[in-house]
């Protein structure tokens, strides 16, 4: 079982900006020193860092944050992933118009870090069409010069669990081909 969040500094930034938790509670949860958390809050460390929402990534629940906000001596507990809930979340959902412009950036990120990922896998993660993925892969997309690769998890197109599952399947397929 994971005891610290995936991106501890980003999570600390988000918790500082969005909750009333103590520095000690945040430090304990993120595996950081309380002075480091204080430095993040004072913008001496991690300036310009984008906060990572631990609720969206499934590492914390709003109830857990509320519980610890009421009791400054309580320690945050990592959320236990609910596999059934994760399966339900993986269905396609409505993407707001403003966010749709970021979809090619998410595709570019996936193709940059996982170039061997199939078009179908990219389509499933980002809810896009194969034509868009192929255009970005072939560098013929209409906005190719404007694209800047951005993590699809941080943009909200897929969950970290979905991305990890796709990467694990990709690595298993590579290993299978190497053995053959």
């Amino acid at each position: 079982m994971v005891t610290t969040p995936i991106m501890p500094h980003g999570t600390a930034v988000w918790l500082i900006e969005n909750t009333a938790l103590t520095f000690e509670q945040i430090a304990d949860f993120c595996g950081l020193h309380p002075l480091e958390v204080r430095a993040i809050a004072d913008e001496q460390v991690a300036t310009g860092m984008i906060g990572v929402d631990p609720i969206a990534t499934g590492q914390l629940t709003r109830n857990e944050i509320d519980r610890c906000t009421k009791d400054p001596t309580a320690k945050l507990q990592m959320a236990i992933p609910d596999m059934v809930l994760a399966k339900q979340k993986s269905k396609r959902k409505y993407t707001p118009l403003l966010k749709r412009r970021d979809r090619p950036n998410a595709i570019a990120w996936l193709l940059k870090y996982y170039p061997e990922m199939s078009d179908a896998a990219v389509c499933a993660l980002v809810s896009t069409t194969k034509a868009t993925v192929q255009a970005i892969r072939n560098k013929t997309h209409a906005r190719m010069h404007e694209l800047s690769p951005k993590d699809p998890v941080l943009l909200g197109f897929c969950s970290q669990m979905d991305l990890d599952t796709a990467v694990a399947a990709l690595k298993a397929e590579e290993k299978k081909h190497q053995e053959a």
Side-chain angles (χ1 to χ4, degrees), residues 1-2 58-61 77-86 161:
M1 184 75 177
V2 179
Q59 299 173 86
L60 267 180
T61 62
Q77 298 295 318
M78 186 76 67
I80 299 169
D82 185 4
M83 296 309 237
V84 175
L85 182 61
M161 191 178 300

Side-chain angles (χ1 to χ4, degrees), residues 157-176:
F157 288 109
C158 63
S159 70
Q160 185 67 48
M161 191 178 300
D162 292 338
L163 180 59
D164 291 344
T165 303
V167 170
L170 183 65
K171 290 185 182 198
E173 188 67 30
E174 280 181 11
K175 187 176 180 182
K176 191 177 177 184

Side-chain angles (χ1 to χ4, degrees), residues 35-100:
L35 292 176
E36 189 173 7
V37 175
R38 182 177 299 277
I40 291 171
D42 293 340
E43 295 183 355
Q44 296 171 342
V45 176
T47 55
M49 182 179 279
I50 298 172
V52 178
D53 183 354
I55 297 171
T57 59
Q59 299 173 86
L60 267 180
T61 62
R62 176 57 61 191
N63 292 340
E64 182 66 9
I65 292 172
D66 292 342
R67 179 185 71 82
C68 290
T69 300
K70 292 174 186 169
D71 180 10
T73 61
K75 291 187 176 191
L76 288 166
Q77 298 295 318
M78 186 76 67
I80 299 169
D82 185 4
M83 296 309 237
V84 175
L85 182 61
K87 293 258 186 229
Q88 290 174 349
K89 279 185 158 183
S90 66
K91 292 181 182 175
R92 287 186 181 208
K93 60 182 181 186
Y94 174 76
T95 305
L97 291 173
L98 289 173
K99 239 178 150 180
R100 291 181 197 173

Side-chain angles (χ1 to χ4, degrees), residues 4-180:
T4 59
I6 295 170
M7 298 176 68
H9 288 90
T11 302
V13 168
W14 190 91
L15 289 170
I16 290 167
E17 292 175 351
N18 297 290
T19 68
L21 295 168
T22 66
F23 293 150
E24 289 76 20
Q25 288 173 313
I26 295 170
D28 182 59
F29 179 72
C30 294
L32 303 172
H33 192 278
L35 292 176
E36 189 173 7
V37 175
R38 182 177 299 277
I40 291 171
D42 293 340
E43 295 183 355
Q44 296 171 342
V45 176
T47 55
M49 182 179 279
I50 298 172
V52 178
D53 183 354
I55 297 171
T57 59
Q59 299 173 86
L60 267 180
T61 62
R62 176 57 61 191
N63 292 340
E64 182 66 9
I65 292 172
D66 292 342
R67 179 185 71 82
C68 290
T69 300
K70 292 174 186 169
D71 180 10
T73 61
K75 291 187 176 191
L76 288 166
Q77 298 295 318
M78 186 76 67
I80 299 169
D82 185 4
M83 296 309 237
V84 175
L85 182 61
K87 293 258 186 229
Q88 290 174 349
K89 279 185 158 183
S90 66
K91 292 181 182 175
R92 287 186 181 208
K93 60 182 181 186
Y94 174 76
T95 305
L97 291 173
L98 289 173
K99 239 178 150 180
R100 291 181 197 173
R101 191 159 178 85
D102 284 331
R103 188 174 279 135
N105 293 329
I107 297 167
W109 187 91
L110 287 168
L111 295 178
K112 177 180 179 181
Y113 292 101
Y114 305 104
E116 63 281 351
M117 188 176 280
S118 70
D119 291 352
V122 174
C123 289
L125 282 172
V126 186
S127 298
T128 189
T129 63
K130 284 188 180 183
T132 304
V133 175
Q134 288 172 350
I136 293 171
R137 191 183 295 272
N138 299 333
K139 299 187 181 348
T140 59
H141 190 269
R143 291 184 32 234
M144 197 67 200
H145 65 284
E146 298 173 15
L147 297 185
S148 61
K150 293 184 183 165
D151 188 341
V153 174
L154 294 178
L155 291 174
F157 288 109
C158 63
S159 70
Q160 185 67 48
M161 191 178 300
D162 292 338
L163 180 59
D164 291 344
T165 303
V167 170
L170 183 65
K171 290 185 182 198
E173 188 67 30
E174 280 181 11
K175 187 176 180 182
K176 191 177 177 184
H177 284 304
Q178 289 175 351
E179 291 174 356

